[in-house]
Amino acid sequence: GDSVTQMEGPVTLSEEAFLTINCTYTATGYPSLFWYVQYPGEGLQLLLKATKADDKGSNKGFEATYRKETTSFHLEKGSVQVSDSAVYFCALTHTDKLIFGTGTRLQVFP
Amino acid sequence: SQTIHQWPATLVQPVGSPLSLECTVEGTSNPNLYWYRQAAGRGLQLLFYSVGIGQISSEVPQNLSASRPQDRQFILSSKKLLLSDSGFYLCAWIQGSSYNEQFFGPGTRLTVL
């Protein structure tokens, strides 16, 4: 069945470092791909999305490109801030629901 | 604008007691509704989803149940809680296709002792 695999965390970085969180997927058809972010004690909120191959989603300095040839949707940011510390979830659409990865915790230190 | 509410925000219950968590959505009609559980340090597990009143799909067999008595109300219940039911419960909704953004509520933290 369809699935999402994320790199295990935590990812620990110093402020202004470059961030990559890997996400790969297995799916039949052509799903849309999402990154959601969860700040401590809160629900999830959409960070960015891409609906077809080669689309690039971007928001708040984060980017991810839908790569069909490598079935990947890696999240990147050029310079992280302490306020980016959160758990990041990769997800794909599957009929009436989303399938989430297990989440990757990012910790950014000053 | 649309908003989603969950209550209570936190709950501490003894093993074997009943459970009722409520989720309501405002500002939209006929949304798809979802219940997730997030155990400590783990990812999201989809428990139930509903595409309409009285329509419930269960993803994982367990001692929980869900009901949708009204278009914008989604309830998660249990007759007897287990220790393993502890976690962070999130309600979410989508308007229309799952290709759209899924909006999450603030969550309920349940501790079963």
Side-chain angles (χ1 to χ4, degrees):
Chain A
D2 293 7
S3 65
V4 175
T5 302
Q6 287 182 239
M7 61 189 291
E8 289 198 22
V11 173
T12 304
L13 295 173
S14 298
E15 205 164 26
E16 299 183 2
F18 184 85
L19 168 72
T20 299
I21 299 178
N22 290 337
C23 171
T24 57
Y25 68 91
T26 301
T28 54
Y30 302 95
S32 288
L33 301 174
F34 303 81
W35 276 101
Y36 281 81
V37 59
Q38 183 181 31
Y39 297 103
E42 299 182 7
L44 279 69
Q45 54 188 277
L46 180 67
L47 180 61
L48 55 84
K49 72 176 185 181
T51 57
K52 61 184 186 296
D54 300 325
D55 267 3
K56 177 186 284 188
S58 61
N59 185 25
K60 300 181 182 179
F62 291 89
E63 294 183 341
T65 301
Y66 189 160
R67 302 285 189 198
K68 188 165 176 60
E69 64 276 12
T70 55
T71 61
S72 64
F73 193 53
H74 305 321
L75 183 67
E76 296 181 337
K77 186 174 185 181
S79 176
V80 294
Q81 305 300 312
V82 173
S83 57
D84 294 326
S85 297
V87 180
Y88 292 81
F89 291 91
C90 186
L92 62 79
T93 53
H94 178 76
T95 57
D96 291 317
K97 55 195 179 186
L98 288 177
I99 295 175
F100 285 89
T102 53
T104 302
R105 181 175 299 280
L106 170 65
Q107 297 174 322
V108 181
F109 294 95
Chain B
S1 64
Q2 302 92 350
T3 55
I4 178 169
H5 303 279
Q6 285 186 247
W7 63 89
T10 60
L11 190 60
V12 180
Q13 293 283 94
V15 169
S17 64
L19 173 73
S20 180
L21 303 182
E22 189 165 343
C23 170
T24 59
V25 181
E26 296 178 357
T28 186
S29 59
N30 196 31
N32 286 3
L33 296 171
Y34 303 81
W35 277 113
Y36 293 90
R37 176 170 60 205
Q38 187 176 24
R42 300 181 66 180
L44 286 174
Q45 179 184 32
L46 179 63
L47 302 175
F48 301 94
Y49 70 97
S50 171
V51 299
I53 295 174
Q55 300 178 62
I56 308 295
S57 296
S58 174
E59 291 294 297
V60 183
Q62 56 204 316
N63 70 319
L64 299 173
S65 62
S67 62
R68 185 170 177 176
Q70 301 180 45
D71 181 44
R72 290 169 289 178
Q73 184 183 33
F74 204 24
I75 297 172
L76 183 68
S77 303
S78 175
K79 292 182 179 178
K80 291 186 177 181
L81 284 168
L82 306 173
L83 286 175
S84 57
D85 291 324
S86 294
F88 192 48
Y89 287 82
L90 290 163
C91 181
W93 69 274
I94 284 178
Q95 184 65 61
S97 165
S98 63
Y99 292 85
N100 298 329
E101 178 178 354
Q102 191 167 100
F103 295 93
F104 284 79
T108 295
R109 184 159 302 284
L110 171 66
T111 303
V112 182
L113 301 175

